[in-house]
Amino acid sequence: MKNIYILFILSLCAPSAFSQQSMMLEKYRSMAVEYSHDLKAAEKNLSASIELEKAARADLKPKLSGDANFQYTGNPLELNLNLPGMDKPLGIQGRDTKYGASLTLMQPIYTGGRLLENIRMAQHQHSLATHQKEQLLSDVCFQTDIQYWNTVARQEIVRIVTDYRNSIASLTETIRERVEVSLVNPQDLLMAEVRLNDAEFQLLQVQKEFETGVMAFNSLIGLPLEKSTPMDTIVPPVNLADSAQLTLAHDRPEIKMAHDQIRMAESSLKLNDSKYKPQLYIGVDGSYSSPGYDLRADLDPNYAVYAKVSVSLFEWGKRRNEKRASNQKIGIAKDNLNQIQDKVNLEIQSARLSLSQTMGQVQLSQQSLEKAHENERQAMERYNEGEISIVEVIEAQTYRQNAEINHVQAKVSAQGQYSALIKALNLYK
């Protein structure tokens, strides 16, 4: 009953709860997510989209603006009028300086849906930024898994090559002792020493690959490159029962982003169309300027209340052309969604098939490894009895080493395919 309950909980949780997922890998995955510069940039992009949505909503509210001006005219306006009953013409002269300040309060009443569509566009961009962050998180987790298991595999290969080197060294020492008492041909010692040098060379190479792998992994999780990072000593095989539980696929962020692109294209169509609809604004303009009314020199207050209506009447087919172009962009976005869905379905099925095949390879490599160990044991016995040459013993040890390396590579390939299936099903959280 307890096991059934645990399996039920695991099926509801993120893949980090599955048994083959190392606790250290869980820790490093969290460190990579926290350290990732791409995720930090995605978080800032998400915050910016929230602010842009708030800014779009602010356009619905009245706008208050201020203005100040100063103007000096070298030859101000003069007017002389000959009026009946007056001996002298009436002269009026404008002022050479004009200055003042004004405040304007304006409220949009109807904009053809532009303001509301701007808000919807900002919401779609916010949704797009959210799904972009989700995609980056999945990529970072997947990259961490692959880098971690590759580094563990390199460490295990170092141990395998070290054991192989030690076996060759032990065999070489045994042959040297037999050569000294003239029991075997000195040529056997030369062959063993050459093989020992090859093993030493191979060990240096795999150690270099392991150390560079650790540095790459440390760079990924934000640790100093030279730090010795603890990790698993062997690559565990993927548990068949756990992999069978990965059946429920969540919507991939790529699909969600494609839907966002469609909605943004639809909003763009409505925004373009709103330009050709009537625009209605009302406002109040208050000023305090000189010259005041009746051409007085002092500053005087004044005000104006207005309503403004504008509508596009003839644009030489521009509205129709823009609408057609926007409809084509919507069609492109829908085609992109269909393409992404096909790609995701293919990725999921390919990941399942690849995982199944690699798990079969793990079983085959395990069987080969057991036979290689037995072959090496029998070869040593027959060599000690003088039935075979040293060449066959060295070949048996080489087969055993290759079988061990193939087994490690099969296991790390299975872990990589398991992580690929997790990513394909969007189960990283």
Side-chain angles (χ1 to χ4, degrees):
M1 186 63 169
K2 181 179 179 181
N3 292 336
I4 295 176
Y5 176 74
I6 292 175
L7 289 175
F8 176 74
I9 294 298
L10 290 177
S11 67
L12 298 179
C13 296
S16 59
F18 294 133
S19 60
Q20 81 278 9
Q21 294 292 319
S22 164
M23 294 300 295
M24 282 188 286
L25 175 57
E26 286 296 311
K27 171 187 174 183
Y28 295 142
R29 191 184 292 161
S30 299
M31 293 173 63
V33 168
E34 182 179 357
Y35 181 73
S36 172
H37 299 295
D38 289 336
L39 278 174
K40 291 178 181 178
E43 184 65 35
K44 292 182 176 65
N45 185 41
L46 182 59
S47 299
S49 67
I50 295 175
E51 298 301 325
L52 290 176
E53 183 179 347
K54 294 179 180 178
R57 292 184 181 278
D59 288 337
L60 294 173
K61 300 176 181 179
K63 300 294 187 300
L64 179 64
S65 60
D67 186 24
N69 64 84
F70 176 85
Q71 178 180 334
Y72 177 82
T73 303
N75 297 304
L77 178 66
E78 292 186 2
L79 180 62
N80 295 311
L81 297 176
N82 294 313
L83 298 178
M86 297 184 64
D87 296 335
K88 296 181 179 180
L90 176 63
I92 301 175
Q93 183 176 12
R95 303 213 27 105
D96 53 7
T97 57
K98 298 179 180 179
Y99 58 93
S102 64
L103 290 176
T104 300
L105 182 66
M106 187 175 64
Q107 171 67 53
I109 301 300
Y110 179 74
T111 60
R114 176 176 57 86
L115 298 183
L116 293 178
E117 209 57 48
N118 275 333
I119 296 175
R120 294 191 186 98
M121 177 68 82
Q123 290 173 339
H124 300 331
Q125 291 172 342
H126 178 208
S127 177
L128 179 65
T130 301
H131 298 145
Q132 286 175 338
K133 180 183 175 183
E134 182 181 346
Q135 182 185 20
L136 284 172
L137 186 144
S138 180
D139 291 341
V140 169
C141 290
F142 176 70
Q143 183 181 3
T144 304
D145 285 5
I146 297 301
Q147 187 67 45
Y148 178 80
W149 290 125
N150 284 338
T151 307
V152 173
R154 290 177 179 179
Q155 179 179 243
E156 191 172 353
I157 290 175
V158 168
R159 178 184 57 78
I160 292 171
V161 175
T162 301
D163 292 342
Y164 174 71
R165 189 274 313 270
N166 293 339
S167 297
I168 295 293
S170 177
L171 178 62
T172 302
E173 185 62 28
T174 300
I175 295 174
R176 183 177 291 109
E177 293 174 356
R178 294 187 178 187
V179 169
E180 291 175 354
V181 296
S182 301
L183 293 179
V184 297
N185 192 323
Q187 187 178 5
D188 289 352
L189 178 60
L190 293 176
M191 294 179 61
E193 289 175 342
V194 170
R195 181 63 66 176
L196 178 59
N197 288 338
D198 290 341
E200 294 284 359
F201 178 84
Q202 187 179 3
L203 179 59
L204 291 175
Q205 184 177 8
V206 296
Q207 285 176 338
K208 180 195 70 173
E209 293 175 352
F210 168 66
E211 291 172 359
T212 55
V214 171
M215 288 191 292
F217 185 69
N218 288 345
S219 175
L220 183 63
I221 61 178
L223 293 179
L225 299 183
E226 66 280 1
K227 182 178 177 60
S228 179
T229 305
M231 56 184 60
D232 291 308
T233 56
I234 62 172
V235 180
V238 175
N239 189 291
L240 181 61
D242 289 338
S243 62
Q245 293 179 12
L246 301 181
T247 57
L248 179 61
H250 296 180
D251 286 340
R252 287 275 293 270
E254 295 94 326
I255 296 178
K256 297 176 184 177
M257 290 163 59
H259 282 291
D260 292 332
Q261 294 288 354
I262 293 175
R263 288 189 285 266
M264 291 172 64
E266 291 172 345
S267 291
S268 180
L269 169 63
K270 295 177 181 178
L271 283 172
N272 287 333
D273 193 57
S274 68
K275 297 185 300 183
Y276 304 99
K277 294 181 179 180
Q279 310 287 314
L280 174 61
Y281 296 85
I282 60 172
V284 179
D285 187 6
S287 62
Y288 193 63
S289 60
S290 173
Y293 42 83
D294 292 338
L295 301 180
R296 291 187 297 189
D298 297 334
L299 291 167
D300 282 324
N302 211 334
Y303 68 91
V305 179
Y306 63 90
K308 178 182 178 182
V309 179
S310 62
V311 60
S312 176
L313 298 179
F314 184 68
E315 295 286 346
W316 298 97
K318 182 179 180 180
R319 179 180 183 180
R320 182 176 60 256
N321 295 334
E322 289 185 350
K323 186 173 183 179
R324 290 174 178 173
S326 296
N327 283 325
Q328 292 298 329
K329 291 180 180 179
I330 293 174
I332 293 173
K334 290 181 178 179
D335 291 337
N336 181 58
L337 171 62
N338 294 331
Q339 182 181 11
I340 291 176
Q341 288 176 333
D342 292 342
K343 180 180 177 182
V344 167
N345 291 333
L346 176 61
E347 184 178 344
I348 292 174
Q349 296 303 322
S350 298
R352 289 192 186 280
L353 178 61
S354 298
L355 177 59
S356 175
Q357 291 178 342
T358 53
M359 292 179 70
Q361 290 174 350
V362 171
Q363 295 177 354
L364 291 174
S365 64
Q366 178 64 38
Q367 296 173 2
S368 298
L369 179 58
E370 294 172 358
K371 294 177 181 179
H373 276 291
E374 178 63 20
N375 179 57
E376 181 184 13
R377 185 188 65 80
Q378 293 183 9
M380 286 298 299
E381 291 180 354
R382 296 180 64 188
Y383 176 75
N384 291 332
E385 295 173 359
E387 297 180 2
I388 60 175
S389 67
I390 187 61
V391 175
E392 295 182 64
V393 176
I394 293 176
E395 287 180 349
Q397 291 180 332
T398 302
Y399 291 152
R400 188 260 302 168
Q401 182 207 27
N402 292 336
E404 288 181 330
I405 292 178
N406 289 339
H407 185 54
V408 172
Q409 292 176 341
K411 289 190 297 181
V412 75
S413 178
Q415 286 290 354
Q417 293 301 330
Y418 181 82
S419 296
L421 181 57
I422 293 175
K423 182 177 182 296
L425 296 176
N426 192 33
L427 296 177
Y428 280 118
K429 300 296 178 184

